[in-house]
């Protein structure tokens, strides 16, 4: 997995190395405020705006090495490497014992220019100045790994992981190095720990799958590799929404959009976090309440879900999904008239949503209003021919009328597969037993 320059891009404001002296007052107060604003912009990924803030701070405090360093970080993030190097070197000129710029220069010299020995020199100097700078040690390990010095890389990653069990990147690298060294069981053990603590990290599953294949556990390995592929695809889809949340943290829609995708991918804890954040930002944000209601309903907490749906509708009565989901809850609770009203309202708002018609047809069926049930289900199928649950329901309506041959024909036309197919075969077998005798004769 390609090493991401997370320290440079997003974490520069988390001071891992000793802070350089602050610029003296009086201009420092104003400069410091501008600098802090730049840090906030940088953390949101708004590098151009952060650059402007840092340059303004430097106009007031041109001798502050920290401001030069952070300006270099934002320039690096914009791939303006020569300018970034100038700022890092200026920071070192002003403060020769400043570890941060040495780490940044070490990374850049290796990743951008491929200068291995120069990069190692800067990182080693940083560690002499700040022995606790884990970032510098980790980068040295990455360089050893990429340059084929696997045993040295392993020693570094193992030491970091032993000292800090939460440093998952070091443990991930440790597992991947063990994989290359042929230590397959140890690689699997390390990578499973990463997967346990970070269950959506595709690189961990990719490594586990490869280790299993090399140990002769092919079927298990293929399953894990498929998991890695799925997670990679999901993460690609999530990234623009994660970027939007970082850039616009005070926009409830950004959080809600990300939460909806997390929910679709089954990452429910993260979905809850972002739906909650959306309504903390705006207590009238209806989609946040609807999203929380959906998650509660999925967990079987229907009464609490009802409260969230009603809260959502109090702020936006046009949310078809909230009406439909309330209908499902009322339907489940046997309140068919209430369910019917909610389904009908959902369809007024979203008249081309096939499964809303299917839900309506199911309610009509339970009320023994078969003609209305059939009309609703046929409309569902017209809108969504792949809505196989509606076809099953249509067959059930015909069976309720005693039209077993028609029901069987509809059911047999549904593609088979999975546990649902077994239940469908049972329905077909039951219908065959109810056919008149002559209809059992061979055709």
């Amino acid at each position: 997995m390609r090493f991401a320059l997370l320290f440079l891009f997003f974490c520069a404001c988390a001071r891992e190395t000793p802070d350089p002296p602050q610029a003296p007052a009086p201009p420092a107060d104003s400069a410091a405020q501008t600098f802090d604003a730049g840090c906030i912009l940088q953390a949101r990924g708004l590098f151009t705006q952060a650059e402007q803030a840092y340059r303004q701070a430097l106009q007031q405090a041109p001798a502050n090495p920290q401001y030069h360093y952070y300006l270099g970080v934002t320039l690096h993030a914009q791939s303006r490497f020569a300018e970034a190097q100038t700022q890092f070197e200026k920071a070192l000129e002003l403060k020769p014992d400043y570890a941060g710029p040495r780490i940044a220069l070490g990374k850049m010299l290796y990743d951008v220019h491929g200068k291995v020995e120069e990069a190692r020199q800067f990182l080693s100097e940083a560690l002499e100045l700040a022995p606790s700078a884990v970032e510098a040690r980790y980068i040295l390990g990455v360089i050893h790994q990429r340059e084929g010095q696997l045993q040295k890389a392993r020693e570094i990653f193992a030491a970091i992981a032993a000292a800090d069990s939460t440093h998952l990147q070091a443990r991930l690298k440790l597992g991947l190095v063990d994989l290359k060294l042929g230590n397959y069981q140890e690689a699997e053990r390390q990578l499973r720990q990463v997967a346990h603590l970070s269950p959506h990290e595709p690189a961990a599953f990719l490594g586990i799958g490869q280790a299993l294949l090399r140990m002769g556990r092919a079927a298990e390995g293929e399953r894990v590799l498929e998991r890695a592929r799925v997670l990679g695809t999901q993460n690609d889809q999530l990234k623009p929404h994660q970027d939007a949340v970082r850039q616009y943290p005070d926009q409830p829609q950004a959080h809600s959009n990300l939460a909806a995708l997390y929910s679709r991918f089954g990452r429910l804890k993260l979905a809850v976090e972002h739906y909650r954040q959306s309504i903390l930002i705006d207590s009238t944000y209806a989609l946040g309440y609807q999203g929380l209601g959906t998650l509660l309903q999925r967990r079987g907490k229907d009464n609490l879900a009802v409260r969230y749906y009603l809260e959502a509708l109090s702020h936006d009565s046009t949310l078809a999904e909230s009406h439909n989901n309330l209908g499902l809850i009322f339907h489940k609770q046997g309140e068919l008239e209430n369910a019917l009203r909610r389904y009908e309202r959902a369809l007024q708002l979203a008249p081309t949503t096939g499964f809303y018609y299917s839900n309506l047809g199911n309610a009509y069926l339970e009320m023994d209003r078969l003609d209305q049930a059939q009309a609703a289900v046929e409309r569902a199928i017209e809108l969504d021919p792949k809505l196989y649950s509606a076809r099953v329901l249509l067959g059930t309506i015909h069976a309720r009328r005693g039209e077993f041959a028609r029901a069987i024909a509809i059911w047999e036309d549904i593609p088979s597969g999975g546990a649902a197919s077994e239940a469908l075969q049972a329905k077909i077998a039951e219908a065959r037993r109810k056919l008149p005798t002559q209809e059992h004769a061979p055709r």
Side-chain angles (χ1 to χ4, degrees), residues 68-388:
H68 286 283
Y69 168 53
Y70 279 77
L71 175 57
V73 170
T74 60
L75 291 167
H76 184 284
Q78 298 173 69
S79 300
R80 292 157 62 185
F81 301 121
E83 295 174 76
Q85 183 169 344
T86 298
Q87 294 300 323
F88 294 143
E89 289 172 348
K90 181 63 176 177
L92 289 179
E93 178 186 326
L94 292 166
K95 182 174 172 55
D97 62 346
Y98 194 177
R102 283 184 168 79
I103 298 174
L105 283 166
K107 289 178 176 180
M108 188 170 68
L109 286 171
Y110 182 76
D111 279 329
V112 177
H113 303 294
K115 296 183 177 180
V116 179
E117 294 309 318
E118 291 92 332
R120 284 176 173 158
Q121 180 65 31
F122 274 114
L123 293 165
S124 297
E125 290 173 359
L127 284 168
E128 289 177 8
L129 293 167
S132 62
V134 177
E135 183 74 6
R137 201 173 305 280
Y138 176 80
I139 301 303
L140 276 174
V142 171
I143 292 175
H144 287 317
Q145 179 190 17
R146 289 185 184 174
E147 297 303 312
Q149 298 167 320
L150 298 181
Q151 198 57 50
K152 286 185 177 180
R154 190 187 190 286
E155 290 171 6
I156 290 175
F157 296 138
I160 295 173
D164 181 2
S165 61
T166 66
H167 200 303
L168 295 186
Q169 282 294 93
R171 193 171 295 281
L172 174 63
K173 290 290 187 184
L174 177 59
L176 295 177
V177 168
D178 273 324
L179 182 63
K180 283 196 172 184
L181 287 168
N183 304 329
Y184 301 134
Q185 289 184 336
E186 182 61 18
E188 181 192 2
R189 187 179 74 82
Q190 294 291 348
L191 294 170
R192 285 197 184 277
Q193 289 184 48
V194 176
H196 175 72
L197 295 170
S198 183
H200 306 122
E201 173 53 69
F205 288 94
L206 180 61
I208 294 168
Q210 292 172 340
L212 291 170
L213 289 178
R214 292 171 192 179
M215 289 188 289
R217 294 153 64 182
E220 186 180 358
E222 292 294 344
R223 287 195 298 272
V224 177
L225 289 175
E226 175 60 16
R227 175 65 175 158
R229 186 195 66 76
V230 169
L231 287 173
T233 300
Q234 291 179 356
N235 287 352
D236 288 343
Q237 294 178 51
L238 285 163
K239 187 178 184 306
H241 296 283
Q242 292 166 334
D243 290 345
V245 164
R246 191 178 69 254
Q247 293 177 10
Y248 307 104
D250 297 327
Q251 292 295 321
Q253 184 176 356
H255 289 276
S256 181
N257 290 344
L258 178 58
L261 208 51
Y262 277 138
S263 178
R264 187 193 306 172
F265 295 152
R267 306 185 190 186
L268 302 186
K269 184 177 179 181
L270 291 168
V272 168
E273 275 181 31
H274 285 280
Y275 277 132
R276 282 181 175 165
Q277 187 61 30
S278 73
I279 60 177
L280 284 173
I281 295 168
D282 179 358
S283 62
T284 68
Y285 189 66
L287 289 175
Y289 293 105
Q290 176 177 270
L292 288 169
T294 301
L295 293 174
L296 288 164
Q297 187 175 3
R298 287 174 64 176
R299 294 172 60 188
K301 298 185 177 183
D302 289 349
N303 290 335
L304 193 53
V306 167
R307 288 169 53 188
Y308 276 95
Y309 289 138
L310 292 176
E311 183 69 24
L313 291 170
S314 74
H315 300 297
D316 183 355
S317 63
T318 68
L319 294 178
E321 185 177 331
S322 285
H323 287 289
N324 176 73
N325 291 353
L326 281 169
L328 290 172
I329 292 172
F330 293 143
H331 194 155
K332 179 180 174 182
Q333 294 172 347
E335 300 179 30
L336 295 180
E337 291 291 347
N338 281 339
L340 201 64
R341 283 194 291 272
R342 291 295 178 176
Y343 293 146
E344 288 171 342
R345 180 59 178 147
L347 283 165
Q348 289 174 359
L349 296 165
T352 60
T353 305
F355 67 91
Y356 290 176
Y357 280 99
S358 184
N359 293 338
L360 178 65
N362 200 18
Y364 279 135
L365 174 63
E366 290 201 26
M367 300 169 79
D368 212 32
R369 294 160 63 174
L370 301 185
D371 289 343
Q372 290 167 292
Q374 182 173 341
V377 173
E378 286 176 344
R379 178 60 175 154
I381 295 168
E382 179 185 346
L383 289 168
D384 185 356
K386 293 184 178 180
L387 189 59
Y388 300 131

Side-chain angles (χ1 to χ4, degrees), residues 391-415 423-441 443:
R391 295 195 194 182
V392 173
L393 185 56
L394 182 59
T396 302
I397 292 167
H398 284 290
R400 178 75 64 86
R401 290 195 179 112
E403 300 167 353
F404 298 112
R406 180 62 181 144
I408 292 168
I410 291 170
W411 289 334
E412 287 183 334
D413 194 42
I414 297 172
L424 186 57
Q425 292 303 315
K427 290 172 75 75
I428 292 172
E430 177 65 20
R432 287 193 183 283
R433 286 192 290 271
K434 296 179 178 179
L435 282 171
T437 304
Q438 65 271 22
E439 294 190 41
H440 285 286
R443 296 178 183 178

Side-chain angles (χ1 to χ4, degrees), residues 29-68:
D29 291 339
S30 176
Q33 291 174 2
T34 305
F35 170 75
D36 289 341
C39 276
I40 293 170
L41 291 164
Q42 180 182 330
R44 291 168 58 184
L46 302 173
F47 300 117
T48 302
Q49 294 93 318
E51 176 194 346
Q52 294 170 355
Y54 294 147
R55 289 193 186 280
Q56 289 174 19
L58 280 167
Q59 287 176 0
Q60 300 171 72
N64 188 310
Q66 187 180 34
Y67 297 177
H68 286 283

